[in-house]
Amino acid sequence: MTNMVKPLKTVTPVLLMALALLMPTAAVQAQTNEQSASNPLPKVRMVTSEGAIELQLRPDVAPETVDNFLQYAEDGFFDGTIFHRVIPGFMIQGGGFTRDLSRKSTRAPIRNEAKETLPNLRGTIAMARTSAPDSATSQFFINLSDNGFLNAGVRGPGYAVFGNVTEGMGVVDAIARKQTTRKQGMADVPVEPVIIETVTVVDPEG
């Protein structure tokens, strides 16, 4: 049987070459870690009539979507809007209507940044849209379950996830238990309005 052990003088140069190849990778990884530490992922606090929800956003995966959401938040657009569509076991949707179900005027739609690497799992926040992939504006939804059929590539372009709930999932579940009805031609509207009072960026230092 052939001996598979190589002589030391043959192995040593190979090992040195492998280490040399790994060194740039290690340097890049260290730089990435430094960047992550200096630029933490943004967090927002959404205060609702049912309690507070904190979300960590993912500009590293969906930069245009996160910028869009943060701009609406900083403009105070979400303040006083409602969760207008609540479906237990599926999702809660908000960010586009006032408590009297008047639709708010929005900015132009954004590009769909749905990625297979950031799926629609329970507790994630994603952009709502029409049947047109690049039609999302201000409306978003929080997944109550792992909704794999909403992921990119499953039934088309998918729905863009751009963050996840880090605190307040109990509040999300409480909203999901609200009794719903049909109002002004819209289904699954909570009988008692669930108000989004404020959406503010959390200070990483505070």
Side-chain angles (χ1 to χ4, degrees):
M1 184 174 179
T2 306
N3 190 343
M4 299 301 293
V5 178
K6 296 180 183 286
L8 183 60
K9 63 181 181 180
T10 304
V11 173
T12 302
V14 173
L15 286 173
L16 289 173
M17 183 178 294
L19 286 171
L21 289 170
L22 286 171
M23 285 175 67
T25 304
V28 169
Q29 184 63 47
Q31 184 178 9
T32 302
N33 290 341
E34 283 181 16
Q35 289 173 344
S36 297
S38 60
N39 298 304
L41 297 175
K43 287 190 174 184
V44 297
R45 181 176 175 83
M46 181 181 295
V47 178
T48 79
S49 53
E50 295 297 311
I53 303 166
E54 287 202 359
L55 301 144
Q56 185 172 65
L57 307 184
R58 295 293 304 273
D60 55 322
V61 180
E64 186 177 341
T65 308
V66 169
D67 284 348
N68 176 69
F69 183 85
L70 289 176
Q71 188 62 63
Y72 277 116
E74 288 166 4
D75 290 345
F77 179 92
F78 295 124
D79 302 357
T81 61
I82 62 170
F83 281 99
H84 64 275
R85 188 175 177 224
V86 170
I87 304 177
F90 179 33
M91 58 92 218
I92 61 172
Q93 180 176 335
F97 291 86
T98 61
R99 65 182 302 158
D100 63 356
L101 293 182
S102 295
R103 185 189 293 269
K104 297 192 70 171
S105 297
T106 64
R107 299 193 306 273
I110 60 171
R111 180 171 60 90
N112 186 353
E113 294 183 302
K115 305 276 196 316
E116 293 180 10
T117 52
L118 196 57
N120 283 269
L121 302 176
R122 172 174 161 80
T124 55
I125 183 171
M127 291 305 295
R129 60 172 175 79
T130 68
S131 57
D134 302 325
S135 60
T137 54
S138 65
Q139 292 186 42
F140 59 86
F141 62 91
I142 298 174
N143 286 292
L144 299 171
S145 303
D146 294 351
N147 293 315
F149 66 96
L150 299 179
N151 295 339
V154 176
R155 296 185 181 178
Y159 290 76
V161 172
F162 62 98
N164 64 281
V165 175
T166 53
E167 291 183 33
M169 198 61 198
V171 174
V172 174
D173 289 332
I175 295 170
R177 290 192 294 268
K178 290 291 183 180
Q179 182 182 355
T180 61
T181 188
R182 190 173 185 85
K183 288 184 182 179
Q184 297 175 213
M186 294 172 59
D188 308 305
V189 181
V191 173
E192 178 188 347
V194 179
I195 312 297
I196 298 173
E197 297 171 358
T198 58
V199 179
T200 53
V201 179
V202 176
D203 183 354
E205 301 297 325

